[in-house]
Amino acid sequence: MSLEHFCQSRLLKRQQQHRLRQRSVLASSQGVHVRLDGRDFVNFSSNDYLGLAAHPDVTQAFKEAAAQYGVGSGASHLVNGHSVLHEQLEQALAEFTGRDKALLFSTGYMANLGVISALVGRGDAVFEDRLNHASLLDGGLLSAARFSRYRHNDVGHLAEQLSSSSARNRLVVTDGVFSMDGDLAPLKELSLLARQHDAWLLVDDAHGIGVLGENGAGCCEYLCLGQDDVPVLVGTLGKAFGSFGAFVAGRESLIDMLLQYTRPYIYTTALPPAVAAASLAALDILRQPEGPRLQLKTNIACFKNRAQALGLDFLPSDSAIQPIVLGDEQRVIQVAGALRDAGLLVGMIRPPTVPEGTSRLRVTLSAQHTEADIDHLLTSLGRTLTQVAHA
Ligand SMILES: *Cc1c(COP(=O)(O)O)cnc(C)c1O
């Protein structure tokens, strides 16, 4: 088969399934008001939950650091790319999450691929929630450990799998807040179960860090789980932090080992130091108790109340991620398209990101939305769903 024919047939397949994805061009900063493909929208589809991606203090910190340290880091961390700003950020993140140490990664995807492969391999076993983020599933598959998936948040199913495994080392892997569903993993139960079975627990808190818990330290703080309960904690800096990058936090021995063995850490250029400075500035803002975290909480409560009053059937979620499952791809495209015509952007999530038959709109809330924005979205959505149902 020619390469041309191969590519065309793959594309055609996606198109026939109504799963072809398209990029839009963003001509503004990220936030609640964006300019996309030449039109203005109120944005309910970004992960910039706190509005920090274009916050003046974060931008200023980035500019000042770039003026002092330049743009490129020039080398990997272990060669000579590890700057004083990376060092400061690692210390701040360790303190923030209540862990001994933290290790910065360029992206959450790389952190997950790397850490899972550094912890387990041939002869070991990895157990993953079936709705885990793609990077966690890919990390598990790449590790060459025996790979099993348990039913979503089903601790009993995981217990069965752990009981029947005789692998040398066993790693349980879960999202903290599920990225496409918005619900929380039963981390207390998972941590107890892992302990009973002498297994290790990795939690990816990409959507909880900066949002949940009294100080915003994420799902572990929210559920009072320390580094002995959740020994391997992954956080990302591209969502609530509004910046870029990721980290793993835990005991000193874990982090020291990862530094030696994690290939996506070792064989890649360090983040630009100015990006680390931006993350430090974001951390200062998101820690404030009366800051954007409080407003986000208010907005989530407002959204849930209004949605319920309108009889809209969102998934049960207390997080900034509020999905409504429509089932089929065409319906999702139709409804999201109508919302776009009304100046509203929501995420269209289809397989393979979510299981077959569960295509959905993924609404994400920001601290910067107003009550009027939320009303506009929900009334437009209510109207559109009725029209589509009767069409
Ligand atoms: C976004 C996300 C990642 C990937 O993080 P990046 O820094 O964007 O690569 C990992 N895990 C989860 C659960 C995510 O939602």
Side-chain angles (χ1 to χ4, degrees):
M1 187 190 287
S2 75
L3 178 60
E4 180 64 21
H5 183 72
F6 173 75
C7 296
Q8 293 296 354
S9 64
R10 297 280 286 169
L11 285 168
L12 189 64
K13 182 169 175 220
R14 276 278 150 96
Q15 193 151 26
Q16 285 166 343
Q17 295 172 313
H18 307 284
R19 292 180 190 172
L20 198 66
R21 301 188 190 198
Q22 261 142 356
R23 300 184 303 183
S24 296
V25 179
L26 183 67
S28 63
S29 60
Q30 188 58 265
V32 155
H33 299 282
V34 292
R35 192 161 179 82
L36 208 68
D37 291 340
R39 286 165 57 202
D40 294 320
F41 290 98
V42 180
N43 186 9
F44 284 93
S45 64
S46 100
N47 299 316
D48 179 26
Y49 302 126
L50 301 176
L52 299 183
H55 190 287
D57 294 355
V58 177
T59 308
Q60 184 61 23
F62 180 87
K63 278 191 200 164
E64 282 173 14
Q68 185 169 358
Y69 296 95
V71 173
S73 64
S76 66
H77 285 276
L78 289 172
V79 174
N80 76 347
H82 186 65
S83 89
V84 59
L85 291 170
H86 297 127
E87 185 68 20
Q88 269 180 38
L89 178 58
E90 287 185 345
Q91 284 173 13
L93 289 169
E95 193 230 331
F96 180 53
T97 54
R99 266 65 184 161
D100 293 348
K101 273 189 165 184
L103 188 67
L104 273 180
F105 281 77
S106 294
T107 71
Y109 191 96
M110 289 168 69
N112 286 334
L113 285 193
V115 172
I116 295 172
S117 299
L119 289 172
V120 288
R122 219 170 290 285
D124 301 322
V126 60
F127 303 86
E128 302 216 15
D129 189 293
R130 64 184 286 267
L131 297 190
N132 274 353
H133 189 263
S135 58
L136 295 170
L137 298 171
D138 292 356
L141 292 167
L142 192 73
S143 71
R146 196 186 171 90
F147 183 79
S148 27
R149 286 190 224 204
Y150 56 91
R151 288 187 294 269
H152 179 50
N153 280 347
D154 188 336
V155 180
H157 191 208
L158 172 62
E160 278 170 35
Q161 295 186 347
L162 283 169
S163 299
S164 63
S165 159
S166 56
R168 182 182 47 185
N169 291 318
R170 281 159 304 163
L171 179 66
V172 175
V173 175
T174 184
D175 278 23
V177 175
F178 283 84
S179 56
M180 298 302 141
D181 291 66
D183 56 340
L184 205 66
L187 293 181
K188 271 190 186 149
E189 292 78 1
L190 289 174
S191 102
L192 276 174
L193 186 68
R195 227 187 264 233
Q196 279 164 11
H197 288 268
D198 224 2
W200 310 329
L201 177 62
L202 181 159
V203 173
D204 174 356
D205 201 21
H207 299 277
I209 196 88
V211 176
L212 291 175
E214 196 177 334
N215 300 296
C219 59
C220 291
E221 184 187 37
Y222 183 65
L223 297 170
C224 302
L225 298 169
Q227 68 182 355
D228 292 329
D229 306 306
V230 175
V232 190
L233 175 64
V234 176
T236 66
L237 304 171
K239 289 165 181 156
F241 274 74
S243 175
F244 191 77
F247 66 95
V248 181
R251 284 211 172 276
E252 186 167 352
S253 55
L254 171 78
I255 301 304
D256 291 351
M257 184 282 288
L258 291 176
L259 184 101
Q260 302 297 326
Y261 287 94
T262 309
R263 295 169 67 87
Y265 179 79
I266 300 168
Y267 299 106
T268 199
T269 301
L271 283 174
V275 169
S279 297
L280 279 163
L283 182 58
D284 276 345
I285 299 167
L286 67 82
R287 291 179 96 149
Q288 297 162 8
E290 309 288 320
R293 270 190 301 121
L294 187 63
Q295 188 58 48
L296 178 61
K297 231 176 165 173
T298 308
N299 287 354
I300 295 170
C302 167
F303 179 91
K304 286 179 59 107
N305 281 335
R306 304 284 166 91
Q308 200 175 13
L310 289 168
L312 294 169
D313 217 0
F314 281 85
L315 291 180
S317 155
D318 294 322
S319 72
I321 302 166
Q322 296 285 334
I324 184 162
V325 174
L326 303 181
D328 106 352
E329 289 86 341
Q330 275 179 287
R331 193 142 179 257
V332 164
I333 295 168
Q334 213 176 353
V335 175
L339 291 174
R340 257 188 183 236
D341 292 341
L344 295 157
L345 277 185
V346 298
M348 283 195 284
I349 312 289
R350 292 165 283 169
T353 306
V354 291
E356 296 281 334
T358 71
S359 288
R360 65 197 66 185
L361 299 176
R362 178 178 182 264
V363 171
T364 50
L365 296 166
S366 156
Q368 292 184 319
H369 287 122
T370 61
E371 266 187 56
D373 292 332
I374 292 170
D375 274 339
H376 183 198
L377 174 72
L378 289 174
T379 49
S380 305
L381 179 62
R383 198 178 324 118
T384 308
L385 287 173
T386 329
Q387 283 164 356
V388 169
H390 295 173

